[in-house]
Amino acid sequence: MSPAAKLRALLQSDEFLRMPCCFDGMSAKLVERAGYPLTFMSGFSVSAARGGMPDTGLLSYGEMVDQGRSICQATNLPVIGDGDTGYGNALNVKRTVQGYAQSGFAGIMIEDQISPKRCGHTKGKSTVEFDEACMRIQAAVDARKEGADILIMARTDAREARGMDEALKRMRAFEEIGADILFLEAPQSREEMQLFCDEIRGPKMANLVEQGKTPVLPPEELQAMGFKIAAYPLTLMLSAMKAMEQALEDLKSNRHPENLASFEHLQDVIGFPDYYAAEEKYKVS
């Protein structure tokens, strides 16, 4: 099955999909080894890990698709990629969708923020007008119809910028255009999350940012509301950051860090045993 076909099958299943988000090949491998069915390339985490920069549109299309290619090559899971605003006009959106499909992504998220965009749970967001928002999703869907083997996740940030009514209006329009997954960013209460699920058909994603604007609800409650996917965009980045900071403090205090993974486990995760086996197969006496 192609990555897109794998993702489509997951959406059609009865399974509620918990989706930890990755930012590089290693984190993608760990998500797969832990038994999750899919992952998402978090733009926030890629910006932090690759550039040490805030998620404010500073990384280019080329940098994002390059990071995504490495992630998709590292895992057999279907990966949804953060495509931001599509990096320009309708033709840029189509090129972005096509490029992500060619890099191995199963899905791509396109949003309606004004460029340069920013993390949906930080200040200063603004969105394009309704018609331009729809144009972006139409271009993405057209790229899929024209042969890009990839699913389209349509996101709106209009809840904060323009109000809940406008956000729901955009979600309905994106669904009608043909988006495969609907994502209303940063609803601010259980009631708003339930309203989204009640008003919008099709597979819906909840984005659960720790200390963000949306309540971090348990999976069973999200499923009962009507969500299909629960995304955890920063959980791995936050846990890695805390562990690294603690290790650095330990070393500075002349203590060797505790609770480290073993060297053997690290080698196993990144593929040394498979490499050694292949090396032996092609060994020349």
Side-chain angles (χ1 to χ4, degrees):
M1 297 174 70
S2 71
K6 290 179 182 178
L7 178 56
R8 192 171 288 109
L10 287 172
L11 294 177
Q12 293 171 351
S13 73
D14 294 330
E15 181 181 2
F16 180 76
L17 305 173
R18 289 176 292 177
M19 185 173 70
C21 299
C22 64
F23 48 88
D24 60 9
M26 166 72 92
S27 56
K29 281 180 177 290
L30 291 174
V31 173
E32 181 176 2
R33 288 171 66 94
Y36 291 92
L38 77 170
T39 188
F40 183 102
M41 181 183 77
S42 161
F44 188 114
S45 294
V46 169
S47 187
R50 182 176 174 120
M53 299 184 295
D55 182 20
T56 52
L58 294 172
L59 291 191
S60 67
Y61 160 76
E63 290 170 304
M64 290 294 287
V65 79
D66 179 65
Q67 191 83 354
R69 188 178 296 110
S70 297
I71 288 170
C72 292
Q73 289 173 352
T75 180
N76 293 312
L77 294 180
V79 183
I80 302 172
D82 187 346
D84 292 330
T85 63
Y87 303 98
N89 64 16
L91 296 180
N92 291 100
V93 172
K94 291 183 75 172
R95 177 175 182 256
T96 297
V97 173
Q98 292 160 352
Y100 273 48
Q102 291 163 1
S103 297
F105 282 103
I108 181 172
M109 183 188 76
I110 298 292
E111 65 189 63
D112 61 357
Q113 283 196 49
I114 289 175
S115 184
K117 58 80 50 134
R118 61 191 60 221
C119 169
H121 292 256
T122 58
K123 64 182 181 180
K125 290 196 306 179
S126 56
T127 57
V128 298
E129 296 298 327
F130 177 81
D131 288 345
E132 184 174 352
C134 291
M135 173 274 291
R136 288 181 185 173
I137 304 305
Q138 185 67 65
V141 169
D142 287 347
R144 185 196 65 202
K145 290 179 178 178
E146 292 165 12
D149 188 19
I150 194 167
L151 276 65
I152 308 301
M153 176 187 289
R155 163 178 161 175
T156 183
D157 285 78
R159 159 63 187 90
E160 182 173 344
R162 299 172 185 263
M164 192 67 177
D165 288 345
E166 176 67 15
L168 292 173
K169 176 184 175 182
R170 294 184 183 212
M171 286 284 88
R172 293 187 193 99
F174 297 167
E175 181 184 13
E176 186 174 339
I177 290 167
D180 301 286
I181 306 169
L182 288 308
F183 170 20
L184 192 160
E185 175 66 300
Q188 297 182 14
S189 66
R190 282 180 169 83
E191 291 73 23
E192 289 187 353
M193 297 169 78
Q194 186 65 67
L195 180 61
F196 171 42
C197 291
D198 291 343
E199 293 289 329
I200 306 300
R201 303 184 305 275
K204 292 170 285 291
M205 189 183 85
N207 196 39
L208 306 175
V209 177
E210 289 85 357
Q211 296 90 52
K213 297 180 179 180
T214 298
V216 179
L217 304 179
E220 57 271 18
E221 186 172 350
L222 294 168
Q223 184 177 21
M225 283 180 167
F227 287 102
K228 180 63 177 178
I229 304 172
Y232 302 89
L234 297 183
T235 306
L236 295 188
M237 173 61 69
L238 292 171
S239 61
M241 182 178 177
K242 183 173 183 179
M244 287 189 286
E245 287 182 332
Q246 182 60 58
L248 291 167
E249 286 300 315
D250 288 343
L251 289 172
K252 190 165 63 175
S253 300
N254 298 321
R255 298 189 304 269
H256 197 78
E258 299 179 352
N259 300 318
L260 298 179
S262 70
F263 183 41
E264 182 181 8
H265 181 55
L266 173 60
Q267 293 179 76
D268 185 49
V269 169
I270 60 179
F272 270 95
D274 291 338
Y275 183 88
Y276 290 146
E279 190 177 46
E280 191 65 28
K281 177 181 178 181
Y282 297 110
K283 185 176 182 179
V284 178
S285 59

